[in-house]
Amino acid sequence: IIRFLNENNLPTLAVLTDADQVYQLRFANFIELVQKADQQNTTPFVLVQSVIQESAPLNADFDDLHLLVPIEAPEVWASGVTYERSKDARNYESTGGKLDVTTFYDKVYDAERPEIFFKSTSARTVGPNDSVYLRSDSHWQIPEPELGVVINKEGKILGYTIGNDMSSRDIEGENPLYLPQAKIWKNSCAIGPAIRLVETVEDPYKFEIVCRIFRNGEKVVEGSASTGQLKRKLDELVSYLVRDNVIFDGTVLLTGTCIIPPNEFTLEDGDRIEIEIPGIGVLNNPVKAQAPVM
Ligand code: DO4
Ligand code: MG
């Protein structure tokens, strides 16, 4: 499921088929699609299939569409240290590479309670091809490519998307109490390009995640991982998010990163980040520096 701006500049919901054909969905947004399916005692997938059977595809090339965030998520939350690779990278940045200490990260990786933190609001979250911003007071910044789950207010997983949990490694490494500043700033989160309906995914622990970073047109970083390496189950993460909380329809929970660029790498103005999850799409975002605020 995607959203794009139509020729009258109106946000439009649509379905993108495996054959790259686009069919307009006459629902205001993804949540309305899910609710309409519920009211008709059917599923979003069946409802979308009936639209495909009963209408004609748009006369537009998917690559030419002005894509928007697939959902205006009121809140984006994120899970942390859900992969061993994330634990190791955070141990490195917080201890300067010492191997003989047990850190907060070791403890949370093994604890029953996962790390769940507030990441973004719809005003701070950008969609495909929009710029993610760099902090002006950090010298070590990276994208965190993550599988995102889209949930309703009861914590039911409705679909999967791609997320970028932009992070400042020097600010987080200096002191874990700085986490909100290492994670939240203007345009520090991207989601998209699509939501893959939950019922169309046989096994969410078989997603491959690929991240590529380009500088001056050249690929300078490439890494890949599989959600099969996740330490925790997706339902387990969601259950901690919704526990004693108020959660809104269309909330996105990012599920942690397993791809960390080499330690000497930091993002620069003009870079381009590509995060691909085959079966969901490619989330492409240029990187832009912000002017320092005095
Ligand atoms: O522990 C801090 C954040 C962890 C995180 O964002 C991740 O593991 O993806
Ligand atoms: Mg992360």
Side-chain angles (χ1 to χ4, degrees), residues 78-80 90 117 144 146 165 167 183 256-257:
S79 329
R90 292 187 148 85
F117 59 93
E144 290 193 356
E146 308 192 6
D165 169 24
S167 297
K183 294 290 190 179
T257 190

Side-chain angles (χ1 to χ4, degrees), residues 50-257:
S50 66
V51 172
I52 292 174
Q53 274 152 21
E54 288 158 19
S55 59
L58 297 182
N59 190 13
D61 212 347
F62 171 66
D63 292 331
D64 297 335
L65 295 180
H66 179 150
L67 293 176
L68 303 170
V69 278
I71 186 158
E72 286 192 331
E75 294 180 346
V76 179
W77 292 72
S79 329
V81 201
T82 50
Y83 292 91
E84 197 169 4
R85 180 73 190 92
S86 172
K87 173 178 70 104
D88 293 347
R90 292 187 148 85
N91 281 341
Y92 177 87
E93 73 206 16
S94 62
T95 65
K98 287 198 203 98
L99 296 172
D100 55 348
V101 281
T102 302
T103 66
F104 299 100
Y105 301 110
D106 293 311
K107 287 185 188 159
V108 81
Y109 185 75
D110 290 320
E112 192 178 333
R113 181 190 293 278
E115 179 197 4
I116 306 274
F117 59 93
F118 189 76
K119 171 64 190 177
S120 193
T121 54
S122 61
R124 295 182 181 85
T125 305
V126 300
N129 306 315
D130 290 332
S131 295
V132 286
Y133 287 178
L134 296 173
R135 282 195 73 107
S136 63
D137 57 358
S138 166
H139 305 288
W140 197 13
Q141 301 183 71
I142 56 164
E144 290 193 356
E146 308 192 6
L147 175 70
V149 293
V150 182
I151 60 174
N152 69 7
K153 59 183 193 298
E154 282 90 31
K156 181 173 173 212
I157 297 179
L158 307 172
Y160 303 99
T161 190
I162 304 175
N164 177 357
D165 169 24
M166 292 283 286
S167 297
S168 160
R169 294 188 74 182
D170 48 355
I171 295 178
E172 183 182 336
E174 189 178 338
N175 190 319
L177 297 182
Y178 292 152
L179 190 74
Q181 295 173 77
K183 294 290 190 179
I184 306 172
W185 63 92
K186 188 174 175 182
N187 290 25
S188 65
C189 180
I191 59 169
I195 298 171
R196 174 85 190 240
L197 292 172
V198 69
E199 57 191 307
T200 66
V201 176
E202 208 175 301
D203 184 351
Y205 304 99
K206 285 200 175 141
F207 278 123
E208 187 196 3
I209 308 178
V210 185
C211 179
R212 305 177 195 95
I213 305 173
F214 297 88
R215 182 165 295 163
N216 302 321
E218 265 181 47
K219 190 167 60 189
V220 288
V221 171
E222 175 155 24
S224 66
S226 159
T227 51
Q229 293 159 269
L230 258 174
K231 168 83 187 305
R232 302 187 185 258
K233 294 291 173 223
L234 301 175
D235 285 329
E236 172 192 352
L237 296 172
V238 172
S239 76
Y240 275 92
L241 170 61
V242 300
R243 185 181 295 183
D244 296 328
N245 202 354
V246 168
I247 288 297
F248 308 99
D249 283 334
T251 294
V252 171
L253 174 63
L254 305 181
T255 57
T257 190

